[in-house]
Amino acid sequence: MDREQSTVEVPLDALSSERVEEVWADLLKAEQEQAHQGLVRTHTRTLVILTAAGGERPDVARVALSHPGRYITVTVGPTAASRAAVSLLRAPGLGAASELVDLPLTPRAHDHWAEAVLPLLRPDMPVAGLVTDLGLLEGDAFCELALNLDTVVLDTRGISRPSQPWARVFGENPRVTPMDLAWHALQPWREVTAAAFDPDDLTALLPALEAVVAVGGPEADSPATWLHGWLVDRTERQQDEPALEFSRHGGKSGLRSLELRFAGDAVCRIAVAGRQLRAEVEVHGRVVHAVHQAWSEPDWSRLVSDCLAHGYDAVFHNTVRHLVDSREHRYEEGTDA
């Protein structure tokens, strides 16, 4: 999508929430006077993006074009930037403009970044926090911010124990709405798995699920865990979970295949095949049903946009809550590795 962006850089020693609001107002006035009389700053949501210095810069502008609102990117950690970038972003032909501000922090402000963010939150707008580096969940600054968040978005795709950061989040604000890029990236896997059991006679197999066997390369532990959790929720097996087995295979990152094993010599195999996901249900050694679906690795901006568009997901909320309550309790007691 084409974008038009006006930006003003503000020295950090002159930065304040009042100055940021003033720049946004000036940018809007200039745009209206030039050629866009109907342009307005769209106050629908605030998204605070916490990112560690030195990491890959998130493409916030692409998200802001799809979901107009206020976007505050906070870079935590040593950074060479000496100025904040305050921008107004819009798509040609649209009357809504997003507000963007990129806040690099000075060394003395690293442990107090919430103080720079909280004054920019509007009381009449829902606030979401997107954490791109899970290490930023630690410390008093996140605790301050968490109490002001309606939604938290994490990305647990690269970790083997996705319940751990969520336990931290719920510990700070148990009422927050959870979203996870790892969960949204698995939407095609969930859809093709559900389609494999559409026939009534195959739906009847689900209560007999005994094990979920996942195979993948680096970073596949997390999707395997989330898919297992989804199956536990959908089959209502919270008190008697099917086993989860995971094994590494090959150099490609991410989940490559999933096998659902049932009592009575039945199995469902789901695997990546080129640009497709294919699922086959086999009973007594004979394939009785097969489905396939287009599949590709989604990029960061698309996943964030999908999360914001989808909104509250009751199934994910139940899944992550159960995962935290069951897995983290075992870790705390030392009964799980």
Side-chain angles (χ1 to χ4, degrees), residues 64-138:
L65 286 171
S66 300
H67 304 278
R70 175 169 291 191
Y71 292 80
I72 306 166
T73 302
V74 185
T75 304
V76 182
T79 172
S82 60
R83 295 171 176 267
V86 185
S87 305
L88 207 63
L89 175 75
R90 64 183 181 81
L94 297 182
S98 283
E99 306 158 342
L100 282 67
V101 58
D102 192 354
L103 302 175
L105 299 183
T106 60
R108 62 183 178 82
H110 286 165
D111 296 329
H112 309 285
W113 51 262
E115 296 175 6
V117 175
L118 294 178
L120 293 170
L121 306 183
R122 292 173 56 99
D124 58 336
M125 294 169 63
V127 182
L130 168 58
V131 185
T132 67
D133 187 318
L134 299 179
L136 299 178
L137 295 173
E138 303 299 329

Side-chain angles (χ1 to χ4, degrees), residues 6-11 14-31 41 70 84-88 99-101 120:
S6 304
T7 302
V8 172
E9 293 189 344
V10 180
L15 188 66
S16 66
S17 59
E18 292 81 7
R19 179 62 181 137
V20 173
E21 296 283 1
E22 186 179 277
V23 171
W24 277 329
D26 289 344
L27 288 173
L28 179 64
K29 182 178 179 181
E31 291 284 340
R41 290 156 60 186
R70 175 169 291 191
V86 185
S87 305
L88 207 63
E99 306 158 342
L100 282 67
V101 58
L120 293 170

Side-chain angles (χ1 to χ4, degrees), residues 148-190:
N148 294 273
L149 296 177
D150 301 289
T151 301
V152 170
V153 186
L154 300 185
D155 185 357
T156 61
R157 286 177 293 174
I159 64 175
S160 59
R161 187 175 151 196
S163 54
Q164 187 175 31
W166 279 114
R168 165 70 174 163
V169 169
F170 289 133
E172 298 298 348
N173 185 350
R175 296 175 300 279
V176 76
T177 293
M179 297 181 183
D180 200 311
L181 303 190
W183 178 266
H184 281 270
L186 289 170
Q187 182 68 22
W189 287 83
R190 296 196 301 273

Side-chain angles (χ1 to χ4, degrees), residues 12-65:
L12 295 183
D13 57 8
L15 188 66
S16 66
S17 59
E18 292 81 7
R19 179 62 181 137
V20 173
E21 296 283 1
E22 186 179 277
V23 171
W24 277 329
D26 289 344
L27 288 173
L28 179 64
K29 182 178 179 181
E31 291 284 340
Q32 290 173 330
E33 289 177 348
Q34 289 175 11
H36 310 291
Q37 293 85 357
L39 189 66
V40 296
R41 290 156 60 186
T42 303
H43 292 151
T44 56
R45 65 159 54 82
T46 298
L47 181 63
V48 181
I49 304 100
L50 305 180
T51 180
E56 185 177 349
R57 300 294 295 141
D59 189 0
V60 176
R62 284 184 60 191
V63 181
L65 286 171

